[in-house]
Amino acid sequence: MTATAPPLVDERAVDDSDTAASRPAPPRRRRRSPLAAAVAWLRNGGVPTLLMFVPLLVTFGYFAWWPILKSLILAFQRTDLMTEPSWVGLRNFERVLADPLLWTAAGNTVWFAALALVIGFPLPILMAMVMAELRRSRQISSVLVYLPVIIPPVVSVLLWKQFYDPSGSGLFNTVLGWFGLGPVGWLQDPILAMPSIVIQATWATAGTATIIYLAALMSIQAELYDAAEVDGASVIQRTWHVTLPQLRSVILLMLLLQIIGTMQVFTDPFVMTGGGPENRTVTLLMLIYNYAFLSGDFGKATALSLLLAVVLSVVSAVYLRLTRKWSES
């Protein structure tokens, strides 16, 4: 019988394993207390940083957080800022919720936001896609698109108010007159007033979103479009399967910002219609303005402001929760 050779054993592996087994475990690092960490941070140059940070913190706190804290107090007081305030508890919120004009203003605000999403939200995306294809005139087109944004809001509103002039001298009614139509009372009609304001607001604010979308489009890799074109994808298919998925996170963020912004609309309806006709364009911020500066009831105005802030916070939290998977995919 043939003897079987014993298996070869790597002596170095045995020695290493024995050494590792006999080697003592490294000592566990002790976690420093917060006080010790703060002392170490100060010794490593934290004092100059703190001295530079304190003025910014004080300024921001005084002009940003102190008004918020003050509003929390005013919401539970009845005051016109001239006489001694009186503590009324939740009475201001009760009076706000009992105001029948509140629900009219809330409905008008939601209607404005819905129209702005339908009319004004897809427009910047389309404009950015068109501008992305304009290689030679992209800069001048960017300037022209952003030009309405730098016009002061009140000037823009007054300009469009002249365009909407119900007489035959208004720009839009003049154009309609060429075809034998009109004149139309754009801002005097209860049905047309809000869409007219939305169109003006879209013209005044779409430039910012367009530039943001254009910057996002420029960051998309050209290889993705080349691969889609090699596969025979049409323009619509490349837009749907390449462009929009690459812009998903930007679109979701801009949608949230537009919802928040449209729910706080004030200047456009205030200057163009003053809330008319028939209270069809009264918004929540206009109602807050009326409470504070027309009625002199700053407690009631602050209570409505806090209610609006709570609603927007809840809407934002729910929106971010629902769109988390879409933005990360």
Side-chain angles (χ1 to χ4, degrees):
M1 296 179 63
T2 304
T4 304
L8 297 177
V9 179
D10 192 347
E11 296 180 356
R12 290 177 300 176
V14 174
D15 295 340
D16 292 341
S17 61
D18 293 341
T19 304
S22 60
R23 184 184 304 160
R28 301 179 61 182
R29 298 183 60 182
R30 297 178 58 185
R31 297 182 59 183
R32 292 188 298 180
S33 63
L35 180 59
V39 171
W41 179 75
L42 292 175
R43 290 178 177 175
N44 295 329
V47 175
T49 304
L50 184 61
L51 293 178
M52 296 179 62
F53 180 70
V54 167
L56 177 63
L57 181 62
V58 172
T59 303
F60 184 79
Y62 182 79
F63 289 102
W65 291 106
W66 172 246
I68 296 176
L69 179 61
K70 187 66 176 179
S71 65
L72 293 175
I73 300 175
L74 285 177
F76 300 95
Q77 294 177 338
R78 186 161 190 172
T79 178
D80 56 0
L81 299 184
M82 301 295 292
T83 59
E84 187 69 20
S86 59
W87 189 266
V88 295
L90 298 177
R91 180 60 180 167
N92 288 329
F93 296 93
E94 295 175 357
R95 292 191 297 130
V96 168
L97 296 176
D99 187 355
L101 191 57
L102 170 66
W103 309 110
T104 301
N108 293 337
T109 304
V110 173
W111 177 231
F112 178 91
L115 288 176
L117 291 177
V118 173
I119 298 175
F121 185 73
L123 182 61
I125 301 177
L126 297 177
M127 293 174 62
M129 290 181 180
V130 173
M131 291 169 58
E133 300 297 329
L134 302 176
R135 301 183 183 276
R136 295 184 178 180
S137 58
R138 184 181 301 163
Q139 293 183 351
I140 185 63
S141 62
S142 300
V143 172
L144 294 177
V145 166
Y146 196 74
L147 184 61
V149 180
I150 65 177
I151 299 177
V154 175
V155 176
S156 173
V157 173
L158 292 176
L159 176 64
W160 275 76
K161 192 173 181 179
Q162 294 297 321
F163 292 166
Y164 286 132
D165 192 332
S167 64
S169 60
L171 175 63
F172 297 132
N173 283 331
T174 300
V175 174
L176 291 178
W178 297 345
F179 302 95
L181 302 174
V184 177
W186 302 97
L187 301 178
Q188 291 73 29
D189 190 292
I191 299 177
L192 297 178
M194 188 64 80
S196 301
I197 296 175
V198 170
I199 293 175
Q200 180 275 327
T202 301
W203 175 85
T205 59
T208 302
T210 302
I211 298 301
I212 294 175
Y213 286 127
L214 180 61
L217 284 172
M218 294 296 97
S219 65
I220 299 177
Q221 298 179 0
E223 291 79 3
L224 298 176
Y225 292 104
D226 295 338
E229 188 175 357
V230 169
D231 292 339
S234 62
V235 175
I236 297 178
Q237 290 174 334
R238 291 198 298 268
T239 302
W240 183 259
H241 295 287
V242 178
T243 304
L244 293 181
Q246 293 297 316
L247 295 179
R248 183 186 293 115
S249 58
V250 179
I251 291 175
L252 293 176
L253 176 60
M254 295 300 295
L255 178 58
L256 176 60
L257 294 178
Q258 181 163 344
I259 292 174
I260 296 174
T262 52
M263 294 294 289
Q264 301 179 77
V265 62
F266 171 76
T267 304
D268 309 88
F270 179 77
V271 177
M272 296 189 78
T273 63
E278 302 175 3
N279 292 327
R280 292 296 185 92
T281 58
V282 175
T283 62
L284 289 174
L285 256 66
M286 289 183 63
L287 196 58
I288 295 173
Y289 174 88
N290 293 338
Y291 288 159
F293 299 103
L294 297 184
S295 302
D297 195 343
F298 286 89
K300 191 176 180 181
T302 308
L304 180 54
S305 300
L306 288 180
L307 290 176
L308 179 60
V310 170
V311 170
L312 291 179
S313 299
V314 173
V315 171
S316 302
V318 173
Y319 177 88
L320 294 175
R321 179 68 177 178
L322 294 177
T323 60
R324 178 182 300 176
K325 294 182 179 180
W326 296 345
S327 59
E328 294 177 354
S329 59

